[in-house]
Amino acid sequence: RVYKGINASIALSFVIGVVFCLLLVIFRNILPFAFNDDAEVVRIASTGLLITSVCAVFQGMDSCLVNAMRGAGRSFIPMVTSALGAFSRIPLVYFLAVRANNADGAFYALLLATIIRAVAIILYYYFLGGKNAIEHYKLAGTGQKEG
């Protein structure tokens, strides 16, 4: 039941992420006007919405797996992947925006950091033993011994 819940949550968050991504892409030229009417600001915001809208797809999957691991008592790896996502932004922004002298690089840095974080937790959960933490709780509820 836990695996079904995790997989259903991932699927639902993926669908919701795709919907939000599409909405942000569709309305990227309209939403910035709610905050500013300067043409250059609106252009930059529109570009940023286009690039970072893809983050919505990855953030939902990431949140589901991070919270499943935390709920199973495995909080160290989710903490590491969160830190990896947060701190990878700094060098990414430096190289993609500052060194490249391209403001759009900051948006690409956010997108790449989000993807890095999501891929890290997905790899851990599906291929590096993250599921074992949940298996431990599954066995604990049945009275069976691990091993």
Side-chain angles (χ1 to χ4, degrees), residues 70-105:
R70 288 178 181 153
R74 296 262 177 106
S75 61
F76 180 74
I77 296 297
M79 177 192 65
V80 169
T81 62
S82 295
L84 175 67
F87 292 119
S88 66
R89 292 177 189 166
I90 297 166
L92 287 170
V93 166
Y94 178 72
F95 287 110
L96 297 175
V98 177
R99 293 281 302 222
N101 197 26
N102 180 2
D104 294 345

Side-chain angles (χ1 to χ4, degrees), residues 13-70:
S13 68
F14 179 79
V15 170
I16 291 170
V18 168
V19 168
F20 274 103
C21 179
L22 291 174
L23 288 172
L24 287 170
V25 168
I26 291 168
F27 294 109
R28 72 181 184 274
N29 293 319
I30 298 167
L31 289 173
F33 283 107
F35 305 98
N36 199 312
D37 59 357
D38 181 273
E40 184 63 13
V41 172
V42 169
R43 185 199 65 75
I44 292 170
S46 176
T47 302
L49 285 172
L50 178 65
I51 296 167
T52 59
S53 65
V54 180
C55 292
V57 176
F58 291 96
Q59 287 175 327
M61 293 185 293
D62 174 69
S63 293
C64 289
L65 291 176
V66 163
N67 289 317
M69 292 290 82
R70 288 178 181 153

